[in-house]
Amino acid sequence: MTPERWQQVKALLQSVLEQPTEDRAEFLIRAAPGDDPLRLEVESLLEFQEGNEDFIETSALEITARSVGAEAQDEMEGAQIGPFQVEREIGRGGMGAVYLAQQNDNHFQRQVAIKIIKRGMDSDEIVRRFRNERQILANLTHPNIAGLYSGGTTDGGLPFFVMEYVEGKPINEYCAAQGLSIEERLKLFRTVCSAISYAHQNLVIHRDLKPSNILVTDDGVPKLLDFGIAKLLKADDEAALTETMLRVMTPEYASPEQARGERMTTASDVYSLGIVLYELLTGQRPYRLKNRLPHEIAQIISERLPERPSTAVSRVEEVPEAASSTTTTQSTGKTGAGELAKLRRSLRGDLDNIVLMALRKDRARRYQSVEQFSEDIRRHLESLPVRARKDTFEYRASKFVQRNKLRVAAAAIIFVTLIAGVVATIREARIARDERARAERRFNDVRNLANSFIFEFDTELESLPGSTKARSLLVERAKGYLDSLAQEVSGDGLLQQELASAYIKVGDLQGRPYRFNLGQTGEALASYQKALAILEPLRHSGLPNLKLENDLATAYERIGTIQNRAGDKEASLENGRKAFEMRKALLIRDPANVSYRRQLADSYLYYGDALSNGPYVGTAIEGVRAALASQQKSLDMRLELAQEFPADAQAERDVAQAYTRVGFRLTALGANTNDKDYFRQSLECQRKALAIRVKMTVLYPDDARDRRNLGDQYMLCSEAQMANNDPVAALDGLHSSLVIFQKDAAADPSNAEARRDMSFVLDKIGIAQAQVGNRSSAEAYLREAFQIADQLNAADPANIEDLGTIMDTSSRLSELRERTGDFSGATEYLKAMADLFEKRLLVYPANTLMRYHLAETYASLGKACVKYASAPRESSTRQLQYWHEARNWYQRSLGIWEDLRNTHTLKESEADQPADLAREIAKCDIALSLRSIQK
């Protein structure tokens, strides 16, 4: 039968089945006049349907299996397959049968389950699907997924595999038998979610999630079974999803896209899990499938909206026996009207919304991952606001009360007591009106500022593109409130502590490195120092507490990162060490505190940045090795946290950041040791980080932070490729990075960090273009990087990182000009760099690092002029001029080095610089004397 003919048969059969039984024969004659073969085919199918009520929704695979099943069962029972003795059949499906067997050999004695393709079903397509399931199980190693032991082919040539035998009950029956509470069911369900999430992370969609495929052992451990129709995301060909495959599903648990035969994603498993959770909470399924015709099933699942669980739980209904299991409202453990009312109240609100969000028809509006689904359940269990409900003040307040019932009750008692005391005091002592006003003003300032402006609004704004201007307004308002409040909080330790926390938050907005900020590095440092000035005295005042210690460590850490960016490396290292030691002490005092573990991992990372400046810990390579060890420890801790909390997206982001830093240090180590293996390891780390960054942008496409991190990661991967001598491949990633940064800068012109990102990537593109021989293009990119860095430095002179970009791009532009023989243009770039350092030193005369850079720039100008003075094509007059310029630049550099030596700020590694420069000046004098004699 051709596919076209089968479509005619199927359409006519469905039409006939919609007619009353007594009218079907007459309808068939009218519907197929003159086409006896078509009519006879439909009549034969109708006869089969009378004895097989589930014929329409049963796949051709299953129909064929039924016809050969008994023979296969008799053949396999008692058979020996390798070391496995088959005992009896325990289940069957569309492709194969599952048997209980005993393994007895020199290694193991245990019961196992063996799945074998049924004889007569071993077509190429069936064998392909069977082996697909075997490959899927082989790739999945998880405590809540039935494991694969081995596989092979029977003596009769039938493929088989051996897997873990799970003795348990379907999850809905287990919950009913154990009388589990709603909370216990939710916790058990989250364990199932972790197994599905693991499968999704390994690019596998289950596609047949239902209670009978989720068994729970007597020990309460859920096990996920039956990947027979699972899909490998990276390997499956969607074109192979034929109508036969469409029928390999359980309609009661199928998603709308599955029922319609459309492409399936991880959101399809989210939908099926939503139905399982609906059943666990209510004892009902959201849909009642009556006629079970394919088009009616697809219509019901795609269009009919399910009842809210809190409503459905009151409905008592027997599910037809054709379904996978029988459930009623009694399966949720209710025993009377009072218990039913209590159950409805527990489902109303969060759980209603969580379940219905998972069951949305449009998969784009469902939870986009099982992690999100599970995370909302966790937040509900912990009385936190959930994603599935609209975030209102009343809702957040109710959640706060639920989490802190005892505290709120105590606060209410205290409040009443205080009110009574205030009334009595007013009555007896007539407290001065201005004192009451001052107390009320202070309370309102702290409440409005801390709760509304700083700690709530900015958290939402930070992830929004183009929000820098709004955050700038927030900073200005906050500074006014804080500085005003700071004058009135003396003597109130707790209020001072809140004030310090607010100053830290404002500093983050002003200029926290590597985050979206306003480019106000100096102002950020001032805010952090205000917080430090409040917290240090409080630490010694008898008010120490863990939060105070934690805030103080944060203040030291923030100051250290600012100092690192401003070029004060020694102070940065010292403050980073203080923060690091405090973080370790906090975790020792409270080892179960996950937040402290995260923050200590952060400190290992930031402390590594400070350690990388070799002269302060020994040689340069010793500094790099110390930094790598610290940041590798951060990576290890973050990987542990991500494994413990697989639904926590921020934990994954933290892992990516640590991979980035470790890769960066490996590149530096390779450059210092000339060991190419370090470059290879660096590229591997950066690619692991890139995979996470791509995943985050897919899951959270509207989060500006994730998009910025992806752009940064493209750039870092390209740097590693350039270190591996592959500039052509690096250019692809660099241009992808540039596109992201250009969009960020265009969408949010006030965002200094976005423009700084552009400057960085333009510089890297210039380097890569030079390496592949595109000098003109390289110069254009480098010049644009120079201009952006110059603008940023002019607006934020405290940020020496931009000066570093200026110095690097100037040197590279000078080298490009020198290669073309344009010596005048080459020196002009170096002179522009020197001029910028001179101007900045007028503003920051005590900045030692900037003085080092200026001395090095003067020396570079001297070396360049000596080289040009020896160029044969230059005129004697021009050569003489170059010798004079060289001596002048060397003399300027020597003056700075001698001053550094006299003030005892000269680095040990630079101790020979004054003597070296004196020798270079002497060479210039000799050259000038010779030319005078020649004249």
Side-chain angles (χ1 to χ4, degrees):
M1 182 183 296
T2 65
E4 293 78 9
R5 187 61 168 176
W6 167 242
Q7 291 297 325
Q8 290 179 323
V9 171
K10 185 182 70 169
L12 181 55
L13 175 62
Q14 290 177 346
S15 298
V16 172
L17 287 173
E18 293 176 359
Q19 307 303 315
T21 304
E22 60 274 13
D23 297 336
R24 288 178 180 176
E26 183 179 351
F27 177 85
L28 184 58
I29 294 173
R30 293 198 311 270
D35 194 342
D36 291 340
L38 174 62
R39 181 172 53 78
L40 291 173
E41 182 67 31
V42 173
E43 285 177 348
S44 68
L45 291 173
L46 283 172
E47 291 175 4
F48 188 86
Q49 164 69 6
E50 291 177 1
N52 296 272
E53 294 181 357
D54 58 347
F55 165 67
I56 294 299
E57 66 272 11
T58 303
S59 68
L61 301 176
E62 184 63 23
I63 294 171
T64 307
R66 290 174 180 175
S67 67
V68 299
E71 177 186 349
Q73 179 177 352
D74 293 340
E75 177 184 331
M76 295 308 304
E77 287 185 358
Q80 184 75 30
I81 302 176
F84 306 104
Q85 178 73 41
V86 177
E87 295 182 355
R88 58 185 172 83
E89 181 180 312
I90 56 175
R92 62 175 55 242
M95 292 185 292
V98 183
Y99 298 88
L100 177 65
Q102 185 71 33
Q103 180 180 3
N104 288 300
D105 56 22
N106 295 331
H107 302 288
F108 298 102
Q109 290 187 356
R110 60 186 174 187
Q111 284 189 317
V112 298
I114 301 181
K115 189 165 187 177
I116 309 173
I117 287 185
K118 302 169 189 174
R119 188 167 303 282
M121 294 293 294
D122 47 349
S123 66
D124 290 343
E125 174 63 19
I126 301 305
V127 171
R128 185 189 70 81
R129 290 186 191 152
F130 187 88
R131 288 176 175 166
N132 181 57
E133 180 179 3
R134 185 168 64 188
Q135 183 60 46
I136 288 171
L137 286 175
N139 292 335
L140 300 180
T141 304
H142 190 277
N144 300 111
I145 296 178
L148 177 70
Y149 295 149
S150 66
T153 306
T154 67
D155 293 339
L158 297 178
F160 74 90
F161 60 85
V162 182
M163 55 189 172
E164 176 183 358
Y165 173 59
V166 180
E167 188 170 2
K169 296 179 180 179
I171 188 171
N172 59 334
E173 295 180 13
Y174 176 84
C175 290
Q178 297 294 323
L180 297 189
S181 66
I182 293 297
E183 181 177 351
E184 290 168 333
R185 292 171 191 237
L186 292 174
K187 290 179 178 178
L188 183 65
F189 182 77
R190 287 196 72 221
T191 305
V192 175
C193 287
S194 72
I196 301 299
S197 175
Y198 172 81
H200 289 179
Q201 290 170 9
N202 284 272
L203 307 180
V204 175
I205 306 175
H206 190 283
R207 303 205 296 190
D208 194 22
L209 291 169
K210 56 188 177 183
S212 60
N213 281 341
I214 306 169
L215 299 186
V216 184
T217 67
D218 292 340
D219 295 332
V221 178
K223 291 280 187 177
L224 188 62
L225 310 176
D226 197 353
F227 282 78
I229 63 170
K231 171 190 171 188
L232 282 170
L233 289 172
K234 63 182 179 181
D236 244 4
D237 182 3
E238 261 331 297
L241 190 62
T242 62
E243 183 171 359
T244 300
M245 187 62 193
L246 173 62
R247 297 306 180 203
V248 185
M249 68 176 184
T250 306
E252 289 84 358
Y253 299 91
S255 63
E257 56 268 23
Q258 187 176 13
R260 294 191 297 264
E262 298 172 354
R263 184 178 66 88
M264 297 177 63
T265 67
T266 55
S268 305
D269 275 355
V270 170
Y271 187 94
S272 299
L273 280 173
I275 295 181
V276 172
L277 181 58
Y278 192 110
E279 186 173 345
L280 291 181
L281 297 178
T282 68
Q284 305 290 338
R285 298 197 189 100
Y287 311 110
R288 285 166 285 184
L289 306 178
K290 295 182 178 179
N291 294 327
R292 305 181 67 80
L293 296 174
H295 68 283
E296 288 190 1
I297 291 173
Q299 182 179 17
I300 290 172
I301 295 174
S302 300
E303 299 177 7
R304 185 171 300 172
L305 296 177
E307 290 181 291
R308 288 182 170 273
S310 59
T311 302
V313 76
S314 301
R315 171 166 45 87
V316 178
E317 174 186 281
E318 289 294 329
V319 178
E321 293 184 1
S324 61
S325 61
T326 301
T327 59
T328 70
T329 50
Q330 299 306 314
S331 67
T332 57
K334 301 179 294 296
T335 58
E339 289 297 317
L340 177 59
K342 181 179 179 181
L343 178 59
R344 291 187 63 182
R345 286 194 301 271
S346 66
L347 297 179
R348 189 180 299 121
D350 280 358
L351 290 178
D352 274 345
N353 284 275
I354 288 172
V355 174
L356 293 181
M357 184 168 179
L359 295 180
R360 286 177 176 170
K361 307 300 182 184
D362 183 357
R363 58 182 156 193
R365 298 183 64 233
R366 287 177 216 150
Y367 292 106
Q368 291 304 293
S369 68
V370 176
E371 291 97 326
Q372 288 183 359
F373 190 6
S374 178
E375 173 65 9
D376 244 10
I377 295 172
R378 180 192 70 81
R379 294 182 67 83
H380 166 74
L381 289 171
E382 296 179 9
S383 297
L384 293 169
V386 301
R387 175 191 294 264
R389 290 193 67 178
K390 185 177 180 181
D391 195 2
T392 64
F393 175 79
E394 292 79 8
Y395 175 58
R396 293 175 67 89
S398 68
K399 285 295 177 184
F400 177 83
V401 172
Q402 289 177 27
R403 294 195 306 272
N404 302 275
K405 290 179 180 179
L406 292 177
R407 294 182 181 179
V408 170
I413 293 171
I414 293 171
F415 179 74
V416 171
T417 303
L418 287 174
I419 290 297
V422 169
V423 171
T425 303
I426 291 174
R427 186 185 307 113
E428 295 175 6
R430 296 184 181 277
I431 297 176
R433 181 176 300 174
D434 58 333
E435 289 294 322
R436 293 200 310 272
R438 177 187 172 193
E440 183 179 352
R441 183 173 65 253
R442 182 176 65 181
F443 172 75
N444 287 334
D445 283 345
V446 173
R447 182 193 63 190
N448 293 334
L449 174 62
N451 294 339
S452 299
F453 283 93
I454 296 182
F455 297 106
E456 291 182 5
F457 290 172
D458 185 64
T459 300
E460 299 299 325
L461 289 173
E462 187 177 9
S463 63
L464 297 177
S467 63
T468 306
K469 189 172 182 180
R471 300 177 81 200
S472 176
L473 178 61
L474 178 64
V475 167
E476 291 305 313
R477 292 290 182 90
K479 284 171 58 181
Y481 279 122
L482 291 174
D483 293 340
S484 173
L485 191 61
Q487 301 174 12
E488 300 185 11
V489 299
S490 178
D492 189 335
L494 292 177
L495 195 54
Q496 285 180 296
Q497 190 174 336
E498 291 182 23
L499 181 63
S501 298
Y503 271 126
I504 291 173
K505 184 65 175 180
V506 168
D508 290 348
L509 296 174
Q510 291 169 318
R512 183 181 177 186
Y514 313 115
R515 297 288 184 92
F516 288 149
N517 62 64
L518 304 178
Q520 300 171 356
T521 306
E523 290 84 346
L525 181 60
S527 294
Y528 295 143
Q529 288 171 335
K530 287 179 182 179
L532 186 63
I534 294 172
L535 293 169
E536 270 293 3
L538 286 176
R539 189 186 190 191
H540 303 288
S541 67
L543 184 72
N545 55 64
L546 292 182
K547 184 181 184 308
L548 189 150
E549 295 285 328
N550 193 40
D551 287 347
L552 186 59
T554 299
Y556 275 122
E557 197 165 75
R558 296 286 201 276
I559 290 172
T561 56
I562 289 286
Q563 289 168 331
N564 189 46
R565 176 167 275 190
D568 194 351
K569 305 295 184 180
E570 194 165 8
S572 172
L573 181 64
E574 177 60 19
N575 284 315
R577 183 192 61 77
K578 288 180 181 178
F580 175 66
E581 295 298 335
M582 294 178 73
R583 297 286 194 213
K584 288 200 297 185
L586 281 167
L587 189 58
I588 290 172
R589 293 170 66 181
D590 188 2
N593 191 310
V594 175
S595 179
Y596 290 166
R597 289 172 62 195
R598 293 180 189 273
Q599 289 168 337
L600 180 57
D602 294 346
S603 285
Y604 272 113
L605 201 72
Y606 300 140
Y607 192 39
D609 288 343
L611 286 168
S612 65
N613 302 295
Y616 300 108
V617 292
T619 65
I621 192 169
E622 286 173 352
V624 175
R625 291 188 190 280
L628 177 60
S630 181
Q631 293 177 336
Q632 181 64 52
K633 179 63 176 176
S634 176
L635 175 59
D636 293 341
M637 292 181 68
R638 287 178 167 184
L639 284 169
E640 288 177 5
L641 287 164
Q643 187 173 6
E644 287 182 41
F645 304 98
D648 188 341
Q650 187 56 47
E652 284 198 81
R653 294 185 180 103
D654 291 342
V655 169
Q657 184 189 30
Y659 270 128
T660 293
R661 292 289 222 288
V662 169
F664 194 74
R665 301 304 164 212
L666 287 167
T667 296
L669 202 56
N672 277 275
T673 62
N674 202 29
D675 186 340
K676 304 300 182 184
D677 191 51
Y678 286 123
F679 294 143
R680 180 190 59 77
Q681 294 176 44
S682 172
L683 182 57
E684 184 179 335
C685 285
Q686 300 296 0
R687 283 174 171 165
K688 287 179 179 179
L690 180 61
I692 297 173
R693 298 302 192 193
V694 170
K695 176 183 176 182
M696 290 298 105
T697 55
V698 170
L699 291 176
Y700 307 99
D702 297 326
D703 194 311
R705 294 167 299 183
D706 285 324
R707 187 173 61 251
R708 185 264 172 189
N709 289 336
L710 178 61
D712 191 48
Q713 197 57 52
Y714 276 129
M715 181 171 64
L716 292 168
C717 276
S718 296
E719 283 189 271
Q721 287 171 322
M722 290 167 66
N724 279 274
N725 295 318
D726 193 0
V728 175
L731 279 169
D732 289 336
L734 289 170
H735 284 297
S736 297
S737 177
L738 180 60
V739 168
I740 292 173
F741 292 153
Q742 284 174 330
K743 287 182 179 179
D744 284 344
D748 196 354
S750 302
N751 187 347
E753 202 68 16
R755 296 173 63 212
R756 185 167 292 113
D757 289 335
M758 277 188 61
S759 176
F760 288 159
V761 74
L762 288 165
D763 177 53
K764 306 303 178 189
I765 294 175
I767 297 172
Q769 291 285 7
Q771 289 183 4
V772 299
N774 298 331
R775 291 185 181 177
S776 59
S777 180
E779 185 169 352
Y781 281 111
L782 289 169
R783 191 181 297 112
E784 187 176 356
F786 178 95
Q787 291 169 351
I788 295 174
D790 187 22
Q791 293 167 1
L792 289 168
N793 183 250
D796 188 11
N799 190 341
I800 201 171
E801 194 167 32
D802 297 320
L803 280 178
T805 302
I806 291 169
M807 185 169 68
D808 291 341
T809 54
S810 297
S811 298
R812 291 171 186 133
L813 285 165
S814 178
E815 290 173 7
L816 287 173
R817 288 293 179 137
E818 182 181 314
R819 292 176 191 172
T820 62
D822 183 3
F823 300 148
S824 176
T827 55
E828 284 305 311
Y829 280 120
L830 293 175
K831 289 176 183 178
M833 178 170 59
D835 183 58
L836 280 170
F837 282 125
E838 289 168 356
K839 289 179 180 178
R840 295 297 170 257
L841 274 170
L842 293 176
V843 182
Y844 300 100
N847 192 312
T848 302
L849 183 62
M850 200 177 301
R851 297 176 71 197
Y852 275 108
H853 287 331
L854 181 58
E856 290 168 350
T857 303
Y858 285 155
S860 296
L861 277 164
K863 291 176 185 176
C865 288
V866 168
K867 185 188 299 184
Y868 306 155
S870 305
R873 64 182 180 182
E874 293 292 331
S875 65
S876 58
T877 302
R878 187 64 182 132
Q879 287 179 342
L880 184 63
Q881 183 180 351
Y882 276 131
W883 280 114
H884 277 293
E885 289 183 14
R887 189 187 193 287
N888 177 55
W889 292 120
Y890 281 140
Q891 188 63 53
R892 289 192 186 188
S893 180
L894 177 61
I896 296 176
W897 290 120
E898 288 179 337
D899 185 57
L900 289 169
R901 182 180 59 192
N902 294 337
T903 56
H904 306 289
T905 53
L906 187 64
K907 302 176 186 177
E908 184 179 346
S909 60
E910 307 289 355
D912 296 334
Q913 280 292 338
D916 292 342
L917 286 166
R919 282 193 291 271
E920 294 300 326
I921 292 172
K923 292 179 183 178
C924 291
D925 288 339
I926 293 171
L928 288 169
S929 298
L930 288 174
R931 278 157 179 73
S932 296
I933 293 172
Q934 291 172 356
K935 283 188 175 182

